[in-house]
Amino acid sequence: MLGSTHGTLTTDSRRARVIACGEQPSPVVHGRPAATDDLDVSGRPLYADVPDLDRFFRPETVAVVGASDAEGRPNTGITRQLIAWAERVGARLHPVHPTRPSVFGIPCAPSVAHLPEQVDLAVLLVADPLPVIEELAETKVKFAVAFASGFAETGTEGAAAQERLAAAVARSGLRLLGPNTNLNAFERFRDDLDGPAIALITQSGHQGRPVFALQELGIRLSHWAPTGNEADLETADFISYFAEQPEVGAIAAYVEGLKDGRAFLLAADRAARRGVPVVAVKVGRTETGARTAASHTGKLTGADAVVDAAMRQFGVIRVDGLDELQDTATLLARARRVGASRQDASEQGTAGGRTRTSDPAADGVVVYSISGGTGAHFADLATEAGLHLPQLSEAKQAELHQWIPEYLNVANPVDNGGHPVGDWRGRKIIDAILDDPDVGVLICPITGPFPPMSDKLAQDLVDAAEQTDKLVCVVWGSPVGTESAYRETLLGSSRVATFRTFANCITAVRAHLDHQRFTDSYRSPFDEAPRSPSPSFRKAQALMRPGQQLSEHAAKQLLRAYGIRVPREQLVTSAAAAVRAASLVGYPVVMKASGARIAHKTELGLVKIGLTSASQVRDAYRELTDIARYEGISLDGVLVCQMVERGVEMVVGVTHDRLFGPTVTVGLGGVLVEVLRDSAVRVPPFGEDQAHAMLTELRGRALLDGVRGAPPADVDALVEVVLRVQRMALELGDDIAELDINPLMVLPRGQGAVALDALAVCR
C-alpha cells in the first residue's frame, strides 16, 4: 500500500527532482524566498503572505508624479480627484513635476528624490512608469499605482515592456498596482452605511460600476481594487487581504484572467478558512483551449472547466452576470449564520474566522406569498434549482391555520390569501414559520405593490428579520421600484435581502446555503499536503522517457509503481511465448499490441479479446503483428493479459493546465468516453472528500450504484485510484504531459479496481 493516499495531494515534481540531483530549490512566495516547510513536494508554496495593504488604501502620505493643474490636460482631472481623496482619508499629498513650482496651490517637488518626507503611495501619471519605479526604490516608497496603458494588453511588444516593469518592481521592494488601471481605488465611499461590507476586485473598472452603485441601495462597500494588468499586485493578493478585514462580509470579483493559479488557490483557501465568501464573475466560459491531446483525458478537460473546478473546490461562488454578482455578494455579506450573532461571526471561529456551529444549519426554504399562483411558480423554480422546500409538519400547519383560513394551503408554499393588515396576525404567521427548526430561509415573493397590504407585509418581514438569525428574503417584483415599501422599508433594513427577480433570489439563496455547508466541513488541503517524495517516485523516474509516449506495458509499470492494480499480463515477442504466457495468466485472455507510438489500439484492430485456446492465441499473435507491420507501427511486443469482464468502465487521468499545472480527471470510460464526455476535474491539492465529490458530479453516477440488476461498484477503490493518480501528478508533474487510464474497470463492491489500459506521454 502507498502511504498517506487519503491525505491531500498536489502537483509537479520540480522540488523532488532537484533534491534527487542535490540541488536546492529557490521558489519565491510573494517576493520572498520560501522556507522549506512552506513548500509541497512539487516545490510549490503551501502558504502565502498576506500583503499589508493598509497603507495603500489608507496612506499617510501620497505623491502624485506627473501632477498637473493645466486646463484641458487629462492629468489635471485626475490630480483634482486625488487631492479630494487624500483629504477624505487624511493623507498629506505631494505633487511631483519637473517644471511646476506648485499644483493647485500645493508646493510641487521636481522629482521623487526631492520629496520632503517618505511616501506611502506614489500615483504615477506618466506614460512610462519604468524610470520612476527605479527612483521610488531609492526612496523606499511602499506602494505605486501605474495608470499607463500600452503593456501586455497590446500584444508581444507590450508584454515584453510589462515584463521589464515587473522585474523592476520585484527588485525595488515596493508593490505596484497596474499598469493599465484606473482611479477606482480612490472613489468616494459612503461612510454613513453600517453592517458588513462588500470588498470589490475588478480587472475592468467599468464592470465594477454596478456593484459600486449598490451603495445607493444602502449596501456598504469598503474597498475597490482595480487590478488592471497585474504586473505585480494581483487578484489573489486582494482576496487574501480582504479576507482578513473585520468589516468585510463578502468579496466580489470580476476576473478576466488569473495571473497565478496556485496564488489564487492559496488566497481562496485563506478566505475559506476565515469563512468569508468570495463571489466571482470569471469571463471565458466558452474558451475551448488549444490542446492537441493523445489521451482521452486531455480531450475531456477544457481550460474553463479547470477554473470552474478550482473555484468550487475552495468555495468560490461563480456567477455569470453582474446583476447576479450584485445580489449574491449582498446576500452573502449580510446573511447571519444560524446560532451566530454578527459580532460572533467577525470575532470567533476556526483560524480567526467566523463562528461555526457544531450542528449544521437548517437548509429548509419556505415560500410565503399572498398569492397561491405566485407561491407555486416560485416553488417550482426553487425546487428545480436544487433548493430544499420541506413540507411543514401537521402541527405547524395547524398552528398557521389559527390565522390563515383552512381552505388555503400552508404546507409550503404558505398561501395566506392576503397578508393581515389591521392587527397582529401577519407577524404571528411569519414568526411561526421562522420558529420551525427545519426552516433556515423564508422567501416572500411580492410580484407587485398592493398598498396597504404590501406595505404592512414588508414591515412585518423587516421586524421579524431583526429578531432572527435565519435568512429572510423578499422579491420585489414591481418594475417601478419607487414605492416606499421598497425604497424605505425593505432597502432600509440590513437584515432583509431584497431582490428584483426570482432567478437572482434563487441563485443567491442557493449560494448562501452551499457556502454555509462548505465552510461547516472545510479543512484546508494545504495543511496536509506531502512535503517529501514517496518511495514510488524513484521507481517511476526510471520509467520516464523524455519527449516520448510510453508503451502500454511501460505505462502499466508506472501505475504499478504507485500501487494501482493492473491485470496479470506478460509481454511476449513470439507466438510460442504467447501461448506459454496465456497458460500462466489463465484463460480467457486478452491480447494487445504494445508499442510506444500507439494511442488508441481498438480503432486499429490491435486488441483481441476472449481468447480461450492456444490456437486462438497463436492466430491472434500473427494477426496483431501483421496489422502493426502494415500500419508501420513499431512494437515492443504483444501483451497477453488477464481478461476482466465484470465491472463499470471508468477513466482516470492527468493533464496539464497552463494556469494550474497538473489536474486530475475522472469520468465514465470505455470506447465511448469522448462521445459521453461525462467527467469531473479537480486541481491538486484535494483529499478524499473531493474525490468522492467528483463522482457525484457525473451524470452517470448511478452506474456505480448498480443498475438493472448489476451489483454496486467498489467506489472506495475508485476513490483510492483517483488519490494515487493525484500523487503521480504531484511527483511526476514536470515529467508527464498526459496520463490516461481507460478503462479502469471498477469491480463489484469489495473487489477493487483494475487498470485495463494505460497511456502516458512524457514531457
Side-chain angles (χ1 to χ4, degrees):
M1 294 292 289
L2 182 67
S4 69
T5 56
H6 287 87
T8 49
L9 312 170
T10 178
T11 53
D12 294 343
S13 63
R14 178 183 177 276
R15 179 168 180 259
R17 202 168 56 250
V18 297
I19 290 173
C21 297
E23 303 172 20
Q24 292 297 318
S26 57
V28 172
V29 180
H30 282 292
R32 66 172 178 83
T36 301
D37 288 346
D38 289 344
L39 306 173
D40 68 12
V41 67
S42 74
R44 295 186 177 200
L46 293 169
Y47 308 101
D49 288 338
V50 179
D52 184 359
L53 298 172
D54 291 349
R55 283 289 178 259
F56 175 84
F57 288 106
R58 291 279 177 175
E60 292 183 356
T61 51
V62 180
V64 181
V65 181
S68 173
D69 56 4
E71 289 300 325
R73 297 277 299 173
N75 284 6
T76 300
I78 297 174
T79 304
R80 186 181 290 112
Q81 181 174 340
L82 290 169
I83 291 172
W85 171 76
E87 291 176 354
R88 289 197 302 274
V89 300
R92 298 181 297 278
L93 185 141
H94 302 287
V96 177
H97 195 284
T99 62
R100 295 179 183 275
S102 66
V103 171
F104 288 114
I106 304 172
C108 193
S111 70
V112 172
H114 290 83
L115 289 170
E117 59 182 331
Q118 187 172 340
V119 169
D120 293 327
L121 173 65
V123 182
L124 311 183
L125 309 183
V126 294
D128 184 5
L130 181 57
V132 183
I133 292 295
E134 295 169 348
E135 292 180 33
L136 295 175
E138 297 177 4
T139 57
K140 301 189 184 317
V141 172
K142 295 181 178 68
F143 296 99
V145 179
F147 294 124
S149 58
F151 289 90
E153 77 278 8
T154 63
T156 304
E157 291 186 11
Q162 185 165 309
E163 288 180 7
R164 291 192 293 272
L165 179 64
V169 170
R171 292 191 302 269
S172 73
L174 63 77
R175 303 306 304 270
L176 175 73
L177 181 71
N180 193 31
T181 185
N182 53 45
L183 287 163
N184 294 150
F186 313 119
E187 295 278 359
R188 179 186 290 273
F189 292 83
R190 286 182 59 176
D191 56 11
D192 60 333
L193 302 174
D194 58 11
I198 296 173
L200 179 61
I201 306 167
T202 61
Q203 283 183 290
S204 168
H206 186 70
Q207 292 293 84
R209 284 288 160 195
V211 178
F212 185 74
L214 286 171
Q215 294 176 105
E216 299 307 310
L217 300 181
I219 297 158
R220 182 183 172 201
L221 262 75
S222 58
H223 307 79
W224 189 350
T227 60
N229 283 15
E230 300 189 352
D232 177 34
L233 286 169
E234 58 183 298
T235 296
D237 292 310
F238 289 102
I239 291 175
S240 294
Y241 174 77
F242 291 151
E244 299 289 338
Q245 306 311 304
E247 71 271 28
V248 173
I251 301 167
Y254 173 83
V255 182
E256 293 177 352
L258 294 171
K259 176 182 175 183
D260 182 322
R262 175 53 71 96
F264 177 78
L265 297 185
L266 291 170
D269 171 69
R270 181 173 295 277
R273 292 175 192 251
R274 298 283 298 173
V276 178
V278 180
V279 187
V281 170
K282 168 63 176 70
V283 299
R285 280 197 183 275
T286 59
E287 180 185 354
T288 58
R291 286 185 189 272
T292 303
S295 70
H296 295 293
T297 307
K299 295 172 183 175
L300 290 174
T301 306
D304 189 68
V306 176
V307 171
D308 205 55
M311 288 184 168
R312 190 164 52 253
Q313 280 173 245
F314 289 88
V316 177
I317 298 133
R318 188 176 183 184
V319 295
D320 291 323
L322 296 178
D323 57 331
E324 292 176 298
L325 183 65
Q326 290 173 284
D327 286 345
T328 304
T330 298
L331 174 64
L332 288 165
R334 291 183 162 188
R336 293 176 180 169
R337 296 192 56 80
V338 172
S341 68
R342 178 58 65 181
Q343 183 176 0
D344 292 335
S346 64
E347 296 179 356
Q348 302 179 16
T350 301
R354 299 182 176 186
T355 295
R356 292 179 184 173
T357 56
S358 57
D359 297 322
D363 65 353
V365 176
V366 168
V367 179
Y368 177 62
S369 174
I370 62 174
S371 162
T374 300
H377 183 198
F378 193 95
D380 277 350
L381 297 174
T383 301
E384 187 176 3
L387 296 181
H388 172 49
L389 273 66
Q391 180 169 313
L392 298 178
S393 67
E394 294 294 335
K396 180 59 66 176
Q397 293 185 52
E399 181 183 1
L400 292 174
H401 276 308
Q402 296 178 72
W403 312 295
I404 297 174
E406 287 286 342
Y407 61 84
L408 293 174
N409 181 20
V410 295
N412 191 16
V414 175
D415 177 9
N416 61 28
H419 189 74
V421 173
D423 55 37
W424 41 263
R425 289 175 299 155
R427 176 66 188 277
K428 283 282 190 181
I429 295 169
I430 296 170
D431 287 343
I433 295 171
L434 291 172
D435 284 342
D436 191 312
D438 293 330
V439 175
V441 182
L442 172 65
I443 302 176
C444 182
I446 304 173
T447 52
F450 192 64
M453 186 190 301
S454 53
D455 296 23
K456 183 65 166 61
L457 174 56
Q459 188 62 58
D460 284 345
L461 289 165
V462 167
D463 293 342
E466 295 294 339
Q467 302 300 316
T468 182
D469 55 7
K470 296 185 179 182
L471 183 59
V472 177
C473 301
V474 175
V475 182
W476 189 263
S478 167
V480 180
T482 57
E483 301 85 359
S484 61
Y486 171 65
R487 299 292 302 186
E488 299 171 16
T489 306
L490 294 173
L491 294 183
S493 169
S494 63
R495 291 294 305 124
V496 173
T498 304
F499 303 86
R500 300 304 302 276
T501 68
F502 284 13
N504 280 14
C505 176
I506 291 168
T507 296
V509 169
R510 180 174 178 179
H512 164 66
L513 294 174
D514 286 348
H515 189 263
Q516 187 159 284
R517 283 188 288 266
F518 172 82
T519 54
D520 280 337
S521 61
Y522 185 72
R523 298 292 181 272
S524 173
F526 294 111
D527 288 345
E528 300 176 14
R531 291 163 168 78
S532 58
S534 70
S536 302
F537 173 65
R538 293 190 185 280
K539 296 179 185 177
Q541 271 191 314
L543 299 169
M544 294 293 100
R545 299 292 181 266
Q548 297 181 27
Q549 178 178 308
L550 300 183
S551 68
E552 179 183 340
H553 182 59
K556 284 181 174 176
Q557 287 181 303
L558 193 63
L559 300 183
R560 190 181 287 113
Y562 278 89
I564 297 171
R565 181 178 165 191
V566 300
R568 296 189 303 273
E569 62 182 37
Q570 290 191 19
L571 183 69
V572 300
T573 56
S574 70
V579 172
R580 290 193 297 271
S583 64
L584 292 173
V585 168
Y587 289 103
V589 297
V590 175
M591 294 180 64
K592 296 187 277 187
S594 178
R597 302 181 63 127
I598 308 174
H600 304 303
K601 293 178 283 293
T602 303
E603 289 87 334
L604 296 173
L606 294 176
V607 179
K608 302 297 179 183
I609 65 173
L611 306 177
T612 59
S613 67
S615 61
Q616 288 181 339
V617 169
R618 291 190 194 93
D619 291 343
Y621 183 90
R622 296 189 187 97
E623 186 174 350
L624 291 173
T625 53
D626 285 347
I627 293 173
R629 192 177 302 109
Y630 176 78
E631 296 287 347
I633 297 172
S634 177
L635 300 182
D636 58 5
V638 172
L639 282 172
V640 180
C641 310
Q642 170 194 9
M643 187 167 177
V644 180
E645 298 182 77
R646 192 181 183 197
V648 179
E649 292 186 338
M650 303 293 291
V651 59
V652 180
V654 176
T655 56
H656 263 265
D657 180 80
R658 64 175 183 81
L659 184 64
F660 294 100
T663 64
V664 177
T665 299
V666 64
L668 294 186
V671 295
L672 297 179
V673 59
E674 291 171 29
V675 176
L676 298 174
R677 301 191 68 83
D678 188 7
S679 63
V681 63
R682 288 294 185 274
V683 178
F686 62 86
E688 185 177 355
D689 57 340
Q690 284 292 331
H692 278 285
M694 293 171 78
L695 303 184
T696 66
E697 294 174 14
L698 301 177
R699 296 188 303 275
R701 174 64 175 81
L703 293 174
L704 294 169
D705 298 327
V707 295
R708 300 184 67 85
D714 197 335
V715 172
D716 289 341
L718 172 57
V719 167
E720 180 78 10
V721 171
V722 171
L723 294 175
R724 289 176 183 271
V725 167
Q726 185 186 196
R727 186 78 185 215
M728 295 177 69
L730 161 67
E731 297 185 342
L732 302 173
D734 280 350
D735 301 316
I736 291 184
E738 299 174 40
L739 174 70
D740 194 65
I741 306 173
N742 183 46
L744 175 74
M745 188 68 79
V746 185
L747 304 175
R749 185 178 295 161
Q751 298 181 31
V754 186
L756 301 187
D757 200 351
L759 179 149
V761 180
C762 301
R763 301 183 71 175

